[in-house]
């Protein structure tokens, strides 16, 4: 189905859709009667974000932020850059940061600290994928779609050098592509 750059499908679009529904239902229940701002971390979480927000009922606002700890390739530089800030203030609001994947945890630790300094009511993390074995700093997702092994994945918004974000499934990238 995909070309030779893709080794195999790890999480199919049907599995993703079912899990996103569950996450949306859980968030709806947890925030009943409470307004919440869902923050999309660009660019990787954009596809998950669009699916997730439509599975949440209630008083929801959306906003976007962009930071990166990755240069080209598959290993983190460890340095996080804020490339785009939120459009609205978040003081006193419930925030859910929506992420594509937690890997070392460095990006979200930075982001959480940045947001907490603005004194929101709460900050939680929702990620579609989690690679707990790769963690360099202690960080847990509050809502996690799938825990995966230490493999480089693309698709459903995740990229390798900006490619493959448009694949509907989460796929393992062939090691021939990045020489891992
Ligand atoms: P962390 O700061 O190491 O947790 O990195 C988080 C970011 O690294 C994610 O938002 C992704 O953009 C990127 N990343 C980590 N692992 C992968 C992967 O397997 N495929 C694609 N991007 C990844």
């Amino acid at each position: 189905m995909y070309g030779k750059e893709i080794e195999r499908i790890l999480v199919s679009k049907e599995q993703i859709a079912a899990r996103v529904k569950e996450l949306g239902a859980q968030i709806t229940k947890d925030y009943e009667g409470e307004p919440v701002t869902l923050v999309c971390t660009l660019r990787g979480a954009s596809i998950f974000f669009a699916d997730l927000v439509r599975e949440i009922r209630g008083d929801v606002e959306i906003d976007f932020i962009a930071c990166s700890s990755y240069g080209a390739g598959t290993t983190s530089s460890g340095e996080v850059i804020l490339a785009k800030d939120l459009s609205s203030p978040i003081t006193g609001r419930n925030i859910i940061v929506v992420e594509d994947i937690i890997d070392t945890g460095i990006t979200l630790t930075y982001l959480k600290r940045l947001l907490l300094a603005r004194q929101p009511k709460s900050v939680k993390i929702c990620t579609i994928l989690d690679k707990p074995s790769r963690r360099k700093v202690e960080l847990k997702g509050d809502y996690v779609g799938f825990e995966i092994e230490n493999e480089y994945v693309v698709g459903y918004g995740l990229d390798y050098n900006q490619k493959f974000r448009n694949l509907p499934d989460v796929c393992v990238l062939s090691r021939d592509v990045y020489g891992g």
Side-chain angles (χ1 to χ4, degrees), residues 41 44-45 48 98-102 126-130 157-158 165:
T41 57
F48 170 45
V98 180
E99 182 60 292
D100 53 355
I101 188 164
I102 312 177
C126 176
T127 185
I128 188 68
L129 299 170
D130 188 5
L158 291 113
R165 292 194 198 273

Side-chain angles (χ1 to χ4, degrees), residues 65-69 78-83 105-118 137 139:
I65 200 163
C67 56
S68 88
S69 70
E79 189 189 327
V80 183
I81 296 157
L82 183 70
I106 290 170
T107 309
L108 276 174
T109 300
Y110 167 87
L111 205 51
K112 224 178 153 176
R113 196 172 300 147
L114 185 101
L115 298 180
L116 282 170
R118 298 175 189 181
V137 290
L139 182 99

Side-chain angles (χ1 to χ4, degrees), residues 75-96:
T75 34
S76 174
S77 65
E79 189 189 327
V80 183
I81 296 157
L82 183 70
K84 184 220 169 292
D85 204 344
L86 297 171
S87 300
S88 302
I90 56 165
T91 308
R93 291 196 59 88
N94 294 305
I95 305 299
I96 303 178

Side-chain angles (χ1 to χ4, degrees), residues 21-32:
K21 262 190 194 307
E22 290 176 356
L23 291 171
Q26 187 64 53
I27 292 169
T28 300
K29 199 163 147 253
D30 292 353
Y31 289 82
E32 214 184 323

Side-chain angles (χ1 to χ4, degrees), residues 54-75:
R54 288 176 292 173
E55 296 296 339
I56 300 173
R57 302 287 161 264
D59 186 351
V60 167
E61 290 185 18
I62 64 171
D63 209 335
F64 299 85
I65 200 163
C67 56
S68 88
S69 70
Y70 268 32
T74 62
T75 34

Side-chain angles (χ1 to χ4, degrees), residues 5-7 152-154 160 164 171-175 177-178:
E5 292 166 310
I6 298 302
E7 194 180 294
Y152 198 84
V153 289
V154 294
Y160 175 72
F164 307 111
C171 302
V172 176
L173 185 66
S174 167
R175 283 178 191 270
V177 178
Y178 65 93

